[in-house]
Amino acid sequence: MSAQAPSARPNPSSEAPALDAAVRASAHAPSVHGTRPWTVRHVGDRITVGTDPDRRLAVRDPDAREQVVSCGAALFTVLVTLRAHGVRPAVRELPDPDRPGLLAEVRSAGAAEPDARDRMLHESVGPRRTHRGPFPADVDDVRTVRALVSAAAAEGAVLRPLGDERLMRSLAGLVAAAEFLHRCERDTGEELARWVRAPGAADPDGVHAEDFPPPDRVADTLFPDRDYGRGRVRGLLDPHGDVAGTAALLTTSGDGRGDHLAAGRALQRVLLTAAAGGVSSAFHTQPLEEPHLRAFIGERLCDGAHPQMILRLGRGLDARPHRLFASVEDGG
Ligand SMILES: Cc1cc2nc3c(=O)[nH]c(=O)nc-3n(C[C@H](O)[C@H](O)[C@H](O)COP(=O)(O)O)c2cc1C
């Protein structure tokens, strides 16, 4: 299906269930440390997406860049869910200069037949999970990589796969530099501890023991994982495979709040496109939390653009069920 049917006028009462579904689906978006640092609300005829100041990482994300990227991922999830439910969204980003915490307002612009791509992306919202550790296999086909690059471009960002092994090793070294420094910092450790959950915890927030590898598996990989446990909680994830995958940087041309929001939308579009094609994504944003390293990466690896995310992409979908809901449609 390519062309959309002409829009019918908005009809708030018949569209309310779609708006509710979009709010519920947003809870599945990726977020730094699983903080879900947003407020996503259905108010009257619209959905508002804002920041939750109590969930910002004051130590590692003082400027709220990663928070807004996370909110952008939630915003894209709202938009794709509405489209998949036959509602064409009209978005106003940063609608009120006096309320910087209000990131977006989404209303219906009428009904529209969902296209196959929106349905496909929406179906990946629930199954998508963050990968950690090595992958079973590389993403070795050009078409998939091209589709991911186009997904980022559709949201106004650039996905830059690092094809050259030497550049990839250079980036991995910068990840390691930041990660090992962070492991020495008490305030970073305390902030992380607030978001790490013991085995079997029911809390939907945070990074759970089941989602990160044990200490002996986090240190010796090419791209060191964040040490979520820090000696307090033993990770239970047993990564299998032995390839690092394709490293990629997600960048924007500007570096304001609107750019961070766009980066988040692009991130979630890339991740859902990947998941729909059997590709998993791992993240290593530690050096982007260090201003000098972030500037260096922008200058030397991104042609002067602003790096917003560091990813690794590999084949083999993570089969861990999402702990939030059995399915996006079922709700909480
Ligand atoms: C801005 C941002 C930064 C992130 N940085 C990392 C990271 O450095 N290491 C990591 O393992 N996961 C990282 N993640 C992934 C989150 O930890 C993950 O999305 C969250 O725990 C929820 O789990 P899920 O993605 O499996 O639903 C990041 C996610 C976002 C949006």
Side-chain angles (χ1 to χ4, degrees):
M1 232 184 295
S2 55
Q4 290 191 329
S7 301
R9 291 161 66 86
N11 180 344
S13 57
S14 71
E15 288 162 351
L19 271 69
D20 287 336
V23 170
R24 286 197 302 273
S26 68
H28 288 258
S31 60
V32 62
H33 296 4
T35 49
R36 300 198 287 163
W38 50 70
T39 58
V40 181
R41 296 196 181 111
H42 177 183
V43 187
D45 65 344
R46 76 193 83 156
I47 292 174
T48 61
V49 178
T51 53
D52 179 342
D54 295 336
R55 288 169 176 253
R56 179 174 61 91
L57 301 175
V59 176
R60 290 267 53 96
D61 187 30
D63 302 330
R65 187 188 62 81
E66 289 185 284
Q67 177 176 30
V68 177
V69 171
S70 303
C71 293
L75 173 60
F76 183 77
T77 311
V78 164
L79 300 178
V80 80
T81 304
L82 289 176
R83 288 197 285 262
H85 282 77
V87 173
R88 195 158 60 91
V91 191
R92 281 180 68 215
E93 294 194 351
L94 304 173
D96 185 348
D98 293 331
R99 294 169 67 199
L102 177 60
L103 297 175
E105 283 184 336
V106 184
R107 286 188 171 81
S108 165
E113 189 64 29
D115 70 14
R117 178 177 311 185
D118 287 328
R119 284 186 213 269
M120 177 192 82
L121 295 178
H122 175 249
E123 278 168 19
S124 294
V125 166
R128 180 213 61 81
R129 296 303 313 276
T130 294
H131 183 92
R132 296 192 175 91
F135 290 104
D138 277 315
V139 182
D140 46 15
D141 58 307
V142 181
R143 270 188 64 200
T144 299
V145 176
R146 261 198 222 128
L148 300 180
V149 170
S150 304
E155 300 299 323
V158 178
L159 185 73
R160 301 163 184 262
L162 291 182
D164 186 318
E165 164 91 20
R166 294 163 301 181
L167 295 183
M168 179 159 144
R169 286 187 172 275
S170 166
L171 181 62
L174 296 166
V175 168
E179 171 58 24
F180 291 118
L181 276 176
H182 293 171
R183 288 185 196 180
C184 302
E185 293 173 359
R186 199 168 147 182
D187 51 356
T188 297
E190 283 168 359
E191 181 170 79
L192 199 55
R194 181 181 163 206
W195 295 103
V196 172
R197 301 290 179 262
D203 184 349
D205 296 332
V207 180
H208 289 234
E210 291 82 359
D211 299 331
F212 63 89
D216 50 321
R217 302 291 301 271
V218 295
D220 59 355
T221 49
L222 178 60
F223 280 81
D225 267 306
R226 276 189 206 262
D227 181 12
Y228 286 101
R230 297 192 58 127
R232 298 185 187 102
V233 176
R234 189 178 163 79
L236 298 177
L237 183 69
D238 183 17
H240 54 285
D242 55 6
V243 306
T246 302
L249 287 141
L250 184 71
T251 67
T252 50
S253 54
D255 202 24
R257 227 164 157 75
D259 302 295
H260 303 158
L261 199 55
R265 278 193 277 102
L267 174 69
Q268 180 68 326
R269 190 187 267 268
V270 168
L271 299 181
L272 297 179
T273 306
V279 171
S280 285
S281 316
F283 308 92
H284 299 275
T285 51
Q286 304 97 316
L288 303 186
E289 295 166 0
E290 294 294 330
H292 289 90
L293 291 182
R294 182 165 180 247
F296 179 83
I297 290 170
E299 206 176 291
R300 301 300 293 271
L301 298 175
C302 307
D303 303 317
H306 300 278
Q308 306 294 355
M309 288 296 288
I310 298 173
L311 299 85
R312 279 184 304 120
L313 302 156
R315 285 233 167 257
L317 257 198
D318 291 274
R320 288 170 293 141
H322 209 289
R323 78 183 65 79
L324 288 177
F325 314 110
S327 99
V328 176
E329 295 301 319
D330 292 344

